[in-house]
């Protein structure tokens, strides 16, 4: 009698165990998604080298050493002059970041005039850099240009961020500085301050090729 009871109990317990196993929930593997920036701005950074960081604004600027004479070479895209990446790879200011745009380059009343080196410094650098690039045209027609403009957080006086930019094709000699890069810089600045693109994206786009910077970022 006891053996029969034990046997019956074993059958009942086994049934309960199987029932509980069949009703156990199935656990799905967790799905991990990349976090969203939530900023609404186009990042556009992508892979690639980081841009060098310069010294930033200084109370007193000194003339910076330039590449050896004849060591730099202009490139041209549809006739427009571009810098030599080996001589002028660009440099950014540590004083300008995505977090402080409103108090720096997007500040009402302007930002660049207070950090720009004097012509007593840049005039000497321009002459030396013209020799670096082998520029033979009228100096008054060439702009000593910040590759990453000050209004985009470029370093004010880092030699890696400055180059003698020749005038545009068809420019009349003696007509003064005239190039299409300046309007591109202004449009990028407007887009950065409006939150349409990130500061880093704008800087990388103009370093890559200023003639395609706007189209690369979907700005025109």
């Amino acid at each position: 009698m006891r053996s029969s009871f034990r046997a019956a109990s074993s059958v009942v317990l086994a049934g309960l165990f199987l029932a509980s196993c069949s009703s156990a929930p199935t656990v799905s593997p967790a799905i991990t998604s990349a976090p969203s920036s939530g900023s609404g701005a186009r990042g556009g950074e992508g892979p690639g080298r980081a841009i060098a960081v310069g010294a930033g604004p200084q109370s007193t600027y000194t003339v910076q050493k330039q590449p050896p004479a004849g060591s730099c070479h202009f490139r041209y895209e549809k006739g427009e002059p571009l810098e030599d990446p080996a001589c002028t790879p660009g440099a950014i200011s540590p004083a300008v970041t995505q977090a402080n745009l409103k108090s720096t380059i997007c500040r009402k009343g302007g930002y660049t005039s207070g950090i720009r080196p004097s012509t007593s410094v840049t005039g000497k650098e321009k002459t030396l850099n013209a020799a670096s690039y082998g520029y033979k045209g009228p100096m008054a027609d060439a702009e000593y240009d910040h590759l990453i403009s000050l209004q985009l957080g470029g370093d004010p006086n880092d030699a890696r961020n400055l180059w003698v930019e020749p005038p545009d094709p068809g420019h009349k000699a003696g007509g003064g500085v005239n190039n299409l890069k300046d309007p591109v810089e202004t449009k990028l600045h407007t887009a950065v301050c409006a939150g349409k693109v990130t500061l880093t994206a704008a800087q990388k786009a103009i370093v890559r090729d200023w003639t395609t910077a706007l189209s690369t970022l979907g700005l025109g």
Side-chain angles (χ1 to χ4, degrees):
M1 183 68 178
R2 291 180 179 175
S3 58
S4 299
F5 177 80
R6 284 197 296 268
S9 299
S10 299
V11 172
V12 172
L13 290 173
L16 290 173
F17 177 78
L18 291 173
S20 64
C21 290
S22 63
S23 62
T26 302
V27 179
S28 300
I31 300 175
T32 304
S33 58
S36 173
S37 63
S39 64
R42 296 185 183 93
E45 290 88 347
R49 65 171 179 81
I51 300 175
V53 179
Q58 305 291 307
S59 57
T60 303
Y61 292 102
T62 58
V63 176
Q64 299 297 296
K65 183 179 179 181
Q66 302 297 313
S71 64
C72 307
H73 306 281
F74 295 115
R75 299 175 294 139
Y76 288 87
E77 181 66 34
K78 296 181 179 178
E80 292 292 341
L82 278 73
E83 78 295 340
D84 185 333
C87 294
T88 317
I92 58 175
S93 169
V96 180
T97 67
Q98 186 70 35
N100 69 8
L101 293 178
K102 290 184 179 180
S103 62
T104 54
I105 62 172
C106 301
R107 184 178 67 208
K108 291 183 179 180
Y111 166 77
T112 63
S113 61
I115 65 167
R116 191 180 296 277
S118 68
T119 54
S120 63
V121 172
T122 58
K124 295 175 182 177
E125 292 175 346
K126 181 178 181 180
T127 299
L128 293 171
N129 191 265
S132 301
Y133 271 90
Y135 175 73
K136 302 298 184 182
M139 292 296 285
D141 288 350
E143 179 179 355
Y144 192 44
D145 175 69
H146 290 92
L147 177 59
I148 304 172
S149 65
L150 299 183
Q151 63 178 338
L152 290 174
D155 193 86
N157 198 41
D158 192 306
R160 295 169 293 184
N161 195 45
L162 284 155
W163 65 302
V164 170
E165 180 184 4
D168 282 343
H171 179 68
K172 184 178 179 180
V177 173
N178 178 28
N179 63 65
L180 296 178
K181 182 171 178 284
D182 290 346
V184 171
E185 295 167 348
T186 299
K187 290 180 180 179
L188 288 174
H189 172 262
T190 299
V192 169
C193 291
K196 293 182 179 180
V197 297
T198 64
L199 177 66
T200 300
Q203 292 170 338
K204 286 191 174 183
I206 206 162
V207 163
R208 187 179 302 114
D209 185 340
W210 71 261
T211 68
T212 62
L214 295 177
S215 59
T216 297
L217 297 174
L219 299 173

